[in-house]
Amino acid sequence: MKQDVLVCTPIRPEKLAILEETYNVFPLYKLTDDAEREALIDKAGESCVAMVSNGHFPADENFLKRLPKLQIAACSSVGYETLDVDAMTRRGIRFTHTPDVLTDDVADIAILLMLAVRRNLVAGDAYVRSGDWGRKGMLPLTRTTSGRKVGIVGLGRIGAAIAKRCEALGMEIGYYGRKAKPGVAYQYFGDVAEMAGWADVLIAAASGGPETAHLVSAEALAALGPEGSFINISRGSVVDEAALLDALESGRLGSAGLDVFLNEPNPDPRFGKLPNVVLYPHHASGTIETRDKMSQLVVDNLAAHFAGEPLLTPVN
């Protein structure tokens, strides 16, 4: 007998096909009409024992109460601050996410954004396309990256992968965390603003949620200064976004490369008017290879649960 699974957000088509073959899928992600979505959730509450989502789907305690038979929620992302895992744990609902498989691609985008803002890549591309190179001569000089100091906010899997890439660029590395990591040779800072004052580049790689809200504060951005660059591949909430915009507009902060924003997918329109930023649509893990692996983890975690085997990537 097939189990009933509520699919709130889609996964890769070939992996979704596996879910549809293996389970009775309730495709919430296909519906845009609010009344139809509400009706499907009510129907799912009668029988669905599993749920598939990503880290942007708002599964709060009230939503979970509508799924009284839920046994497992499989999330196809690393971050999951929009899902109430504490409520799941209280109810005995298992929760999984997809760490590790996206580490390299996200770290690559951090480096891409850093180099793009330091070397003014986007403006340079436009300069060639417009013909200004021929009309006006060489592009103004940019800022070097090799040999500079980079401060990484959060030295987890992704932060460590970023640090490894920065080492290859000849950068001096510092990091912030709740405590120093044993066996790590990089310089440790217990305060983000202090590290920002030391660094030329500040990269946010911390997880989202209330505990890290505004971890990169107005004070930290001011300490980074008019020659500094801020890179964010974590969550929009990790930085004080209003302070970030003010600092970029005023020139108190030199530049920023941003993959994440507070209001996604409609970030503050002030960002679009800034010449000193490179913007990316929360797509750091957006490669075919990585999204395939993330989707496969969702499929494998559900299979393990229903087979009574240990989950591959449990959170609770």
Side-chain angles (χ1 to χ4, degrees):
M1 177 175 159
K2 290 184 176 181
Q3 303 285 357
D4 292 346
V5 177
L6 176 65
V7 180
C8 303
T9 55
I11 57 176
R12 291 284 294 161
E14 58 271 26
K15 311 304 179 185
L16 188 59
I18 295 173
L19 293 184
E20 291 171 339
E21 182 179 344
T22 309
Y23 309 105
N24 295 318
V25 168
F26 288 60
L28 183 65
Y29 69 92
K30 289 184 177 180
L31 304 179
T32 56
D33 180 79
D34 288 343
E36 291 180 352
R37 287 174 64 86
E38 292 300 307
L40 184 62
I41 294 169
D42 287 339
K43 185 178 178 182
E46 300 173 3
S47 61
C48 281
V49 293
M51 179 181 90
V52 171
S53 73
N54 62 24
H56 302 288
F57 186 81
D60 59 13
E61 188 161 14
N62 288 331
F63 177 83
L64 295 170
K65 285 179 180 177
R66 300 176 67 181
L67 302 171
K69 298 187 178 180
L70 195 64
Q71 299 173 10
I72 182 171
C75 177
S76 60
S77 64
V78 173
Y80 47 82
E81 62 271 15
T82 61
L83 293 95
D84 193 337
V85 180
D86 289 338
M88 293 184 196
T89 303
R90 289 193 298 271
R91 279 186 43 191
I93 300 167
R94 302 303 308 276
F95 180 76
T96 67
H97 66 154
T98 56
D100 297 322
V101 294
L102 49 64
T103 297
D104 286 331
D105 277 335
V106 175
D108 286 348
I109 288 295
I111 301 303
L112 174 64
L113 288 171
M114 177 177 67
L115 293 174
V117 299
R118 299 288 290 180
R119 299 305 303 271
N120 217 1
L121 179 66
V122 174
D125 178 87
Y127 200 68
V128 175
R129 291 176 188 272
S130 68
D132 280 348
W133 184 18
R135 289 189 295 267
K136 300 179 180 180
M138 293 303 297
L139 193 72
L141 298 179
T142 61
R143 289 285 173 180
T144 191
T145 304
S146 178
R148 297 299 185 180
K149 297 175 180 176
V150 57
I152 301 173
V153 182
L155 200 70
R157 296 180 183 91
I158 294 172
I162 293 169
K164 183 178 179 180
R165 287 157 172 76
C166 289
E167 280 192 78
L169 293 172
M171 302 184 78
E172 186 178 346
I173 300 163
Y175 73 99
Y176 163 84
R178 283 175 289 186
K179 58 183 179 180
K181 288 183 173 288
V184 173
Y186 309 137
Q187 184 170 344
Y188 171 73
F189 293 86
D191 181 80
V192 174
E194 180 187 354
M195 183 170 70
W198 167 87
D200 300 291
V201 179
L202 191 69
I203 301 179
S207 58
E211 291 184 357
T212 59
H214 291 192
L215 189 58
V216 179
S217 62
E219 181 186 2
L221 296 170
L224 191 55
E227 304 298 337
S229 302
F230 172 65
I231 311 299
N232 194 359
I233 47 78
S234 57
R235 286 291 189 268
S237 59
V238 171
V239 64
D240 183 338
E241 191 170 276
L244 174 62
L245 281 161
D246 288 344
L248 288 165
E249 289 172 340
S250 67
R252 295 193 306 272
L253 176 65
S255 59
L258 308 171
D259 179 49
V260 290
F261 307 87
L262 269 184
N263 300 307
E264 298 179 2
N266 299 298
D268 194 309
R270 291 164 66 189
F271 282 117
K273 300 174 183 178
L274 291 167
N276 53 344
V277 298
V278 172
L279 309 174
Y280 204 57
H282 201 149
H283 204 54
S285 68
T287 66
I288 292 170
E289 294 83 359
T290 284
R291 293 293 171 86
D292 279 348
K293 291 174 184 175
M294 293 165 70
S295 296
Q296 188 63 53
L297 265 177
V298 168
V299 171
D300 292 345
N301 273 309
L302 290 180
H305 171 75
F306 290 119
E309 299 172 354
L311 300 177
L312 281 75
T313 53
V315 173
N316 60 359

